[in-house]
């Protein structure tokens, strides 16, 4: 069934409870009278409460109403925060520089409000030393504990060991902070720009 309300000639009831263009209650009127009023106002007769007895109909510009509803829904989707799961892969015997680089990525993801799946990949004889992977995961969790927490404890998954870190900060908060920081940087650039010519003028 369509979610679209019935409008104008698609409404098939003898009478309706009519609401005017500004939300005023007109009362119960025959359908023919309601359609006549819609033509007079150059508006549509839209059924807004089909299950009421009699059904409630409103005089409105249905095309404009649909457009505004679509814009509101789009805006709501844009502001909705979807938590993303990022993945970071490490080797048990990772060198310090690589570890710092990977940790930097994890820090960035957590700051953005995303979850991070950490995968330790074992090869060959490394598989007999799972404690190496466990210790590495514990070290990483401790290094980023200000930004995230262990949401899923380390567990063996075939040749890999997996742990999931969750952010302390909600995605919506991270997005709001990022927008604020961007606006502050923009304002700072705009504020700093005119200062340079003024200094040159003073020297002259």
């Amino acid at each position: 069934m369509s979610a679209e309300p019935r409008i104008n000639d698609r409404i098939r009831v003898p009478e309706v409870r009519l609401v005017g263009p500004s939300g005023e209650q007109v009362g119960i009127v025959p359908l023919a009278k309601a359609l006549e009023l819609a033509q007079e106002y150059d508006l549509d007769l839209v059924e807004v409460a089909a299950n009421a007895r009699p059904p409630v109909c409103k005089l409105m510009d249905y095309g404009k109403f649909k457009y505004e509803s679509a814009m509101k829904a789009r805006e709501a989707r844009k502001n909705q925060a979807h938590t993303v799961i990022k993945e970071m892969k490490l080797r048990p015997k990772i060198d310090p520089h690589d570890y710092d680089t990977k940790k930097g990525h994890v820090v960035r993801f957590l700051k953005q409000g995303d979850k991070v799946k950490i995968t330790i990949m074992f090869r060959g004889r490394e598989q007999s030393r799972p404690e190496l992977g466990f210790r590495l995961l514990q070290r990483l969790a401790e290094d980023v504990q200000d930004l995230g927490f262990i949401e899923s404890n380390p567990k063996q998954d075939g040749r890999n060991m997996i742990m999931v870190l969750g952010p302390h900060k909600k995605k919506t908060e991270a997005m709001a902070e990022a927008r604020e920081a961007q606006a502050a940087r923009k304002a700072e650039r705009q504020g700093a720009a005119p200062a340079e010519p003024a200094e040159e003028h003073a020297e002259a």
Side-chain angles (χ1 to χ4, degrees):
M1 287 182 66
S2 172
E4 294 268 318
R6 290 185 295 186
I7 66 169
N8 301 327
D9 296 335
R10 286 167 52 201
I11 301 169
R12 302 290 172 87
V13 290
E15 58 185 17
V16 299
R17 185 177 295 278
L18 187 63
V19 179
S22 304
E24 69 276 14
Q25 297 289 330
V26 178
I28 296 173
V29 299
L31 177 64
K33 174 68 175 172
L35 288 169
E36 192 180 303
L37 285 169
Q39 282 188 330
E40 280 181 28
Y41 282 108
D42 195 22
L43 294 170
D44 298 299
L45 182 67
V46 183
E47 192 175 58
V48 293
N51 295 327
R53 289 291 174 264
V56 180
C57 293
K58 185 174 181 181
L59 296 174
M60 67 171 81
D61 182 337
Y62 187 59
K64 183 182 175 185
F65 170 76
K66 274 184 74 174
Y67 172 76
E68 287 175 354
S69 297
M71 291 300 286
K72 282 178 189 170
R74 188 182 302 168
E75 192 64 27
R77 280 197 301 273
K78 193 169 76 175
N79 292 331
Q80 218 171 27
H82 298 286
T83 301
V84 178
I85 297 185
K86 305 284 189 178
E87 185 170 15
M88 189 56 57
K89 295 182 177 179
L90 291 77
R91 297 293 310 284
K93 295 177 180 177
I94 188 168
D95 74 56
H97 176 73
D98 282 348
Y99 174 80
D100 288 340
T101 301
K102 302 269 187 179
K103 184 179 75 175
H105 291 312
V106 173
V107 165
R108 191 174 83 250
F109 295 147
L110 291 172
K111 278 184 177 177
Q112 289 170 353
D114 295 320
K115 295 183 182 183
V116 190
K117 176 184 173 186
I118 314 291
T119 303
I120 305 288
M121 301 179 295
F122 295 96
R123 289 182 189 166
R125 293 180 183 176
E126 290 173 350
Q127 290 178 65
S128 63
R129 301 286 306 280
E131 70 277 6
L132 292 176
F134 184 80
R135 280 203 297 267
L136 184 58
L137 289 174
Q138 288 294 111
R139 175 188 167 194
L140 181 58
E142 285 171 15
D143 284 350
V144 299
Q145 63 184 344
D146 290 344
L147 297 168
F149 62 96
I150 298 175
E151 188 172 286
S152 176
N153 285 312
K155 61 181 178 185
Q156 198 77 27
D157 181 19
R159 293 185 177 186
N160 301 330
M161 186 176 282
I162 293 166
M163 174 180 78
V164 178
L165 294 173
H168 289 312
K169 195 180 291 180
K170 288 182 181 176
K171 184 75 172 177
T172 45
E173 291 172 13
M175 287 169 65
E177 283 183 13
R179 282 197 294 268
E180 283 173 17
Q182 189 177 3
R185 284 196 299 271
K186 188 177 178 183
E188 200 176 297
R189 284 198 302 271
Q190 287 174 345
E196 291 174 5
E199 287 173 10
E200 287 172 15
H201 179 70
E203 287 169 9

